[in-house]
Amino acid sequence: AYEIGVRLVGSEMCIKRQVYRNGGRRAMFIGREKELATLNGLYNSDKFEFAVIYGRRRVGKTALISHFIQDKKAIYFMGVESNEKQNLENFSQAIMEYASGIMPGTSFVSFQAAIEYVFKLCENERLVLVIDEYPYVAKASKSMASTLQMLIDKNKDNSKMMLILCGSSMSYMEDNVLAYKAPLYGRRTAQMKILPFDFKDSCKYFNGFSAEDMALIYGIVGGTPQYLLQMNDSMSVEDNIKNVFLNPASAIFEEPENLLKQEVREPAVYNAIITAVATGSSRMSEIATKIGETTSVCSQYMKNLINLGLIRKETPYGEKESRKSIYAIADNMFRFWYRFIPDNNSIISRGATELAYKRIAPNLSDYMGRIFEEICMQYMWKLLLDGESPVEFSNLGRWWGTDPQERIQTEIDIMGDQDKSTALFGECKWINENVDVKVLEKLKKRSRLFRYENVHLFLFAKKGFTQGCIEEAGKMGNVSLVTYDQIYEYLKDRGITAF
């Protein structure tokens, strides 16, 4: 997507676009079809609507809103981390640039007066009012939420306003806008949590990468639009890593630490936790020991990281709460950065880019293992939604536990069930050799740890399968052998189109 500043003149809206370059190609608005359809549905109702949009920084919320309002009458106001006076002056300026009959330089005496004026404008015409970065405004003006509540209750039945509140502080939006005890609870008519793109939509940003390169790029920066825009598809993956992650002057080099500083009060502790998870500590006790805190203290920090969308808690498939729960980094860019950058920070800072990459390169294939699992799961969800999955599962996940026969720990990359009698099991191999029959036999054995009558097995491979594996799969009759290229082509036929 793109960054947009909005200038409003009279009843016409002009949009100033800051267009990024990516391999010589103009960056355009990409994806978010469902979100746009929802917003347009609200707009077309021609009655009062109130949408809450929230999500992590850099995920493309402003781009979505700006694209939505570009052909509509709208007042766009972005809050700033300042005091009430500054935000009120900025809000007044946004209204003045839209409405005629107000003397330039005039400022409303209060947010209540300003919003009442906008409601008056909406008595006879459809108008979108956007308050972006709402938490900044509400924190500076303590009565903002109750003021909005009062004015919505007073005017909603006779208003054509479409109000959008947007915020990057997810905890603030959830606790102070969406929560039951929040003043605005019950007033919204829609809410959207904007998430990073999946693999399919991330690929739409590029037309110069090979299929394998696109998997690597997704593994390196994930689906956050602003991070994707740092990648250049006229360069190799190696050069992108060197240029973006191993370059102290790049926009991403200090991004994870800077984002934590914006979101939390004690970034050093959070930084230590993410580093511990990225380097192999997955259980709460391991993480607490690694950072030198008690598990009770560590769990609170972990809860905040989960709310920020940076860490996710995983339990074995089919178990709601378990002592076997583990933690993983949810965002691929953070996963890559914390896996490779801190250990090499000293040599990177001294300009030893080639040496740093030489240390990273041998570990990329192992790093991509979990990324490939994610891509395979997304592919399987697409199969289900297209009506092409052999098992109509209700959920997918990983499973790990004890093999009672061999008394060893084992795991299954992908598992999902349709009912108590039908399930699927999958194994994912991001290796440069063809997957042999032993992998299939091992998956078959692991599937027998569960008592399902009907089982379908999936083997996913980066390259392909040995002849023996292909023959055995044919004999079994309940096996799907899928290469990464097949996954990519399937998704491509259903929506991967670079702009």
Side-chain angles (χ1 to χ4, degrees):
Y2 42 72
E3 292 294 323
I4 298 180
V6 176
R7 176 169 56 89
L8 300 156
V9 181
S11 61
E12 300 299 322
M13 181 181 66
C14 303
I15 296 182
K16 179 183 178 184
R17 305 182 182 183
Q18 181 182 351
V19 182
Y20 292 83
R21 291 282 177 179
N22 184 22
R25 155 177 72 83
R26 285 172 63 85
M28 297 180 68
F29 187 83
I30 291 170
R32 307 298 186 200
E33 290 87 357
K34 291 181 180 178
E35 291 87 348
L36 284 170
T38 298
L39 290 173
N40 279 309
L42 296 172
Y43 181 83
N44 291 332
S45 75
D46 206 36
K47 63 181 182 180
F48 176 79
E49 301 284 1
F50 174 18
V52 177
I53 299 177
Y54 68 113
R56 269 182 41 207
R57 298 180 192 279
R58 324 285 194 258
V59 81
K61 302 181 299 298
T62 299
L64 167 66
I65 293 169
S66 299
H67 188 74
F68 166 67
I69 65 174
Q70 66 180 350
D71 59 350
K72 299 173 178 66
K73 294 181 178 180
I75 296 173
Y76 176 92
F77 160 59
M78 177 176 283
V80 294
E81 199 169 8
S82 184
N83 59 18
E84 181 176 9
K85 182 175 183 295
Q86 182 65 61
N87 276 296
L88 180 57
E89 288 179 356
N90 293 348
F91 187 35
S92 299
Q93 181 66 25
I95 296 172
M96 284 186 288
E97 289 178 343
Y98 175 84
S100 58
I102 303 179
M103 184 179 297
T106 301
S107 180
F108 290 92
V109 296
S110 66
F111 275 106
Q112 178 173 337
I115 297 169
E116 281 182 328
Y117 182 83
V118 179
F119 265 112
K120 187 172 182 62
L121 292 176
C122 299
E123 288 178 355
N124 299 307
E125 67 174 5
R126 193 57 157 167
L127 176 63
V128 183
L129 171 61
V130 179
I131 303 179
D132 203 348
E133 292 300 352
Y134 171 76
Y136 288 154
V137 183
K139 287 177 182 179
S141 177
K142 302 301 182 183
S143 62
M144 184 66 173
S146 56
T147 296
L148 274 172
Q149 174 194 0
M150 180 267 292
L151 293 177
I152 289 171
D153 291 346
K154 177 183 176 182
N155 295 285
K156 64 181 180 180
D157 293 336
N158 300 301
S159 177
K160 293 180 178 291
M161 176 190 290
M162 179 175 177
L163 172 64
I164 298 176
L165 297 188
C166 180
S168 297
S169 175
M170 295 202 292
S171 59
Y172 188 93
M173 296 297 286
E174 289 172 346
D175 295 342
N176 296 281
V177 179
L178 301 174
Y180 178 76
K181 294 183 179 179
L184 291 172
Y185 180 81
R187 275 76 183 175
R188 69 184 183 276
T189 55
Q191 68 185 60
M192 298 181 193
K193 184 176 183 179
I194 307 301
L195 300 172
F197 288 129
D198 60 11
F199 173 66
K200 178 174 70 69
D201 281 343
S202 296
C203 289
K204 295 177 181 179
Y205 276 79
F206 310 106
N207 52 25
F209 286 128
S210 67
E212 184 175 326
D213 284 348
M214 285 187 172
L216 289 166
I217 291 295
Y218 182 69
I220 291 166
V221 294
T224 300
Q226 197 166 108
Y227 303 154
L228 287 164
L229 288 169
Q230 304 302 316
M231 300 289 104
N232 189 332
D233 60 3
S234 66
M235 299 166 58
S236 67
V237 173
E238 176 181 339
D239 286 340
N240 271 287
I241 292 174
K242 291 176 180 177
N243 187 53
V244 173
F245 286 93
L246 307 183
N247 174 14
S250 78
I252 281 183
F253 185 72
E254 296 181 345
E255 168 70 5
E257 292 180 333
N258 288 338
L259 190 145
L260 284 177
K261 289 176 184 176
Q262 292 177 331
E263 296 289 351
V264 300
R265 293 180 180 179
E266 299 175 274
V269 180
Y270 289 97
N271 195 56
I273 290 174
I274 301 175
T275 300
V277 176
T279 53
S281 299
S282 58
R283 300 185 186 277
M284 182 65 76
S285 58
E286 297 171 345
I287 298 165
T289 299
K290 190 76 173 284
I291 70 169
E293 296 283 357
T294 64
T295 54
S296 59
V297 170
C298 191
S299 64
Q300 185 56 50
Y301 288 106
M302 194 67 77
K303 181 180 178 181
N304 294 336
L305 286 170
I306 291 171
N307 290 337
L308 286 172
L310 300 179
I311 294 286
R312 64 170 174 255
K313 183 179 181 180
E314 299 179 350
T315 55
Y317 183 86
E319 300 180 27
K320 292 184 178 180
E321 289 295 333
S322 171
R323 291 184 177 181
K324 294 185 289 185
S325 295
I326 61 174
Y327 296 87
I329 298 179
D331 181 273
N332 287 350
M333 193 280 284
F334 275 70
R335 183 185 295 171
F336 183 86
W337 194 96
Y338 279 95
R339 172 67 178 81
F340 296 114
I341 304 307
D343 286 348
N344 294 294
N345 199 28
S346 295
I347 61 173
I348 294 170
S349 299
R350 286 166 173 77
T353 304
E354 295 298 330
L355 176 58
Y357 184 78
K358 187 177 179 180
R359 292 182 177 183
I360 293 172
N363 300 297
L364 280 177
S365 182
D366 179 64
Y367 169 82
M368 283 297 296
R370 289 298 300 273
I371 306 300
F372 188 42
E373 289 178 22
E374 290 180 14
I375 293 172
C376 293
M377 283 195 186
Q378 292 178 22
Y379 163 77
M380 294 185 72
W381 277 109
K382 186 62 177 168
L383 282 182
L384 178 71
L385 296 176
D386 290 346
E388 298 182 24
S389 174
V391 175
E392 294 182 356
F393 55 87
S394 57
N395 203 0
L396 289 177
R398 297 172 61 230
W399 181 89
W400 57 94
T402 303
D403 183 331
Q405 293 183 345
E406 298 187 7
R407 297 182 180 179
I408 59 172
Q409 290 295 304
T410 189
E411 64 180 50
I412 297 170
D413 292 342
I414 300 175
M415 179 179 173
D417 59 4
Q418 178 175 326
D419 49 43
K420 293 182 179 180
S421 64
T422 305
L424 62 82
F425 299 87
E427 180 76 13
C428 310
K429 293 293 183 184
W430 187 264
I431 55 177
N432 289 322
E433 302 85 37
N434 287 337
V435 174
D436 66 21
V437 70
K438 292 181 180 179
V439 177
L440 177 56
E441 291 171 347
K442 187 179 291 186
L443 179 61
K444 179 181 177 181
K445 183 178 179 181
R446 289 174 180 172
S447 72
R448 289 175 175 170
L449 294 172
F450 303 86
R451 297 180 179 179
Y452 292 103
E453 296 177 12
N454 305 307
V455 170
H456 194 92
L457 305 181
F458 280 86
L459 273 191
F460 297 98
K462 175 185 178 183
K463 292 298 184 182
F465 306 90
T466 63
Q467 188 60 35
C469 185
I470 294 171
E471 291 175 357
E472 181 62 22
K475 292 177 184 177
M476 292 173 62
N478 66 332
V479 181
S480 295
L481 303 179
V482 186
T483 65
Y484 168 70
D485 282 344
Q486 288 174 307
I487 293 174
Y488 179 78
E489 289 301 320
Y490 182 87
L491 296 176
K492 182 179 179 180
D493 290 342
R494 289 157 177 80
I496 293 181
T497 304
F499 283 69

